[in-house]
Amino acid sequence: MSVKVVGVVGSGIMGSGVAEVAAVAGFEVVLRSRSQAGADSMLASLEKSLNRQVEKGRMEEAVAADVRGRVRAVTALDELSTCDLVIESIVEDLAAKKHLFSELDRVCPPETILATNTSTLPVVEMAMETGRPERVCGVHFFNPAPAMALVEIVPAITTSDDTLRDARQFVEACGKTAVTVRDQAGFVVNALLFPYLNNAVKLLDSGVASRDDIDAAMKGGCNFPMGPLELLDLVGLDTSLAILQALYAEFSDPNFAPAPVLRRMVSAERLGRKSGAGFYDYPRR
Ligand SMILES: NC(=O)c1ccc[n+]([C@@H]2O[C@H](COP(=O)([O-])OP(=O)(O)OC[C@H]3O[C@@H](n4cnc5c(N)ncnc54)[C@H](O)[C@@H]3O)[C@@H](O)[C@H]2O)c1
């Protein structure tokens, strides 16, 4: 396998998680954030996560030090020119992602694989912004990336077999289970999960049960580790809204039409854990 250096773009929840997974698996990682503050916050989240694992006895301090040594945070996009694989994990917005892919195509050598961690957006549209649509695919991690076993690998109709093989080898080298899914909104997991999450918001909004009772019902009744409203807060309500909008745009199925209150909460910047408040309140990070 040719991937040795992995670039991660985007300093949100998923960017730092994916960077941690790749660094723990032994890859050199270049983390790119638009601002120095973003780059610093990615390194701080990585540090916090590694320290937690050392404290819990899950990782030796020497191993954590090696992991830290493999991660470099940068702000200039052209620092990604040394990467064999770049995974973008910026905001779930197609225009922003398409713009980023055209920039990545400019700075990365032609053989570099350009991957997206999008939850729902069409991979082919990002691929077609580049001069290498055969070297572009989706590599969809789950939240929190270090803990979750699955990665959906999403070949666009332009993706070559070699790219698909390299992406799968990378995912497996990260210790994850890979499933291959066609480039269709929601892939497998979110196409099945989001109608459920959306319907939980509708139940709450229509007063059928309280927030705590909805979450308790699904934990106790289905043995789910989190209730739907807790999970929406973890994912981020802005990301969740974008996912539902992309699903609705693709299928025109009313089940995917975002619950109106979700849009209002996003307008009010109640985004879930990352903003300190969503369906629940959280101490500020
Ligand atoms: N949150 C989840 O549970 C989850 C799970 C799997 C995949 N994803 C996907 O991962 C990606 C990132 O999600 P997240 O939850 O980390 O989001 P986030 O809101 O935590 O972070 C988004 C990041 O994108 C940056 N950003 C915003 N606009 C940008 C632009 N125009 N150019 C470059 N960077 C920009 C922001 O500064 C921020 O660092 C999305 O595509 C999302 O669908 C999210």
Side-chain angles (χ1 to χ4, degrees), residues 8 13-14 37 157 167 172 185 277 285:
V8 177
I13 310 168
M14 291 306 291
I157 52 175
E172 288 174 353
R285 283 199 287 176

Side-chain angles (χ1 to χ4, degrees), residues 166-212:
D166 291 348
R168 178 173 277 271
Q169 281 181 4
F170 165 73
V171 166
E172 288 174 353
C174 288
K176 302 296 185 191
T177 304
V179 293
T180 305
V181 190
R182 201 170 68 192
D183 178 19
Q184 175 177 295
F187 315 130
V188 170
V189 173
N190 287 337
L192 294 173
L193 178 64
F194 268 82
Y196 154 68
L197 296 180
N198 198 31
N199 280 314
V201 180
K202 291 179 189 168
L203 280 184
L204 177 70
D205 200 35
S206 57
V208 170
S210 69
R211 170 196 76 180
D212 291 352

Side-chain angles (χ1 to χ4, degrees), residues 51-264:
N51 287 343
R52 206 167 37 231
Q53 291 174 65
V54 171
E55 278 158 25
K56 290 187 173 168
R58 292 192 200 135
M59 188 182 277
E60 298 283 327
E61 176 50 48
V63 174
D66 284 349
V67 172
R68 279 182 209 110
R70 282 195 286 274
V71 180
R72 193 160 64 87
V74 302
T75 53
L77 200 70
D78 53 17
E79 298 255 14
L80 297 168
S81 62
T82 57
C83 295
D84 306 304
L85 164 69
V86 176
I87 304 172
E88 76 71 26
S89 197
I90 68 164
V91 64
E92 186 75 342
D93 177 272
L94 188 56
K97 288 190 190 288
K98 283 168 77 167
H99 176 69
L100 178 61
F101 268 82
S102 66
E103 294 284 284
L104 289 172
D105 191 47
R106 187 175 53 76
V107 301
C108 296
E111 60 278 10
T112 300
I113 298 174
L114 303 180
T116 173
N117 186 34
T118 181
S119 303
T120 34
L121 296 170
V123 179
V124 68
E125 293 208 24
M126 294 171 234
M128 294 308 286
E129 291 296 312
T130 73
R132 67 186 86 186
E134 72 289 351
R135 291 298 272 166
V136 175
C137 69
V139 176
H140 181 216
F141 284 81
F142 289 80
N143 183 11
M148 299 297 281
L150 185 73
V151 175
E152 290 177 321
I153 298 181
V154 185
I157 52 175
T158 52
T159 306
S160 69
D161 290 345
D162 285 355
T163 301
L164 193 56
R165 182 204 57 217
D166 291 348
R168 178 173 277 271
Q169 281 181 4
F170 165 73
V171 166
E172 288 174 353
C174 288
K176 302 296 185 191
T177 304
V179 293
T180 305
V181 190
R182 201 170 68 192
D183 178 19
Q184 175 177 295
F187 315 130
V188 170
V189 173
N190 287 337
L192 294 173
L193 178 64
F194 268 82
Y196 154 68
L197 296 180
N198 198 31
N199 280 314
V201 180
K202 291 179 189 168
L203 280 184
L204 177 70
D205 200 35
S206 57
V208 170
S210 69
R211 170 196 76 180
D212 291 352
D213 283 351
I214 291 171
D215 278 347
M218 294 312 291
K219 285 190 277 192
C222 292
N223 234 3
F224 288 176
M226 300 180 87
L229 303 169
E230 289 173 293
L231 182 54
L232 280 160
D233 275 359
L234 175 73
V235 171
L237 302 194
D238 51 345
T239 303
S240 298
L241 178 62
I243 291 170
L244 284 162
Q245 284 170 328
L247 283 161
Y248 187 68
E250 183 103 309
F251 300 109
S252 301
D253 178 337
N255 238 339
F256 292 126
V261 70
L262 198 54
R263 203 184 298 275
R264 299 295 183 278

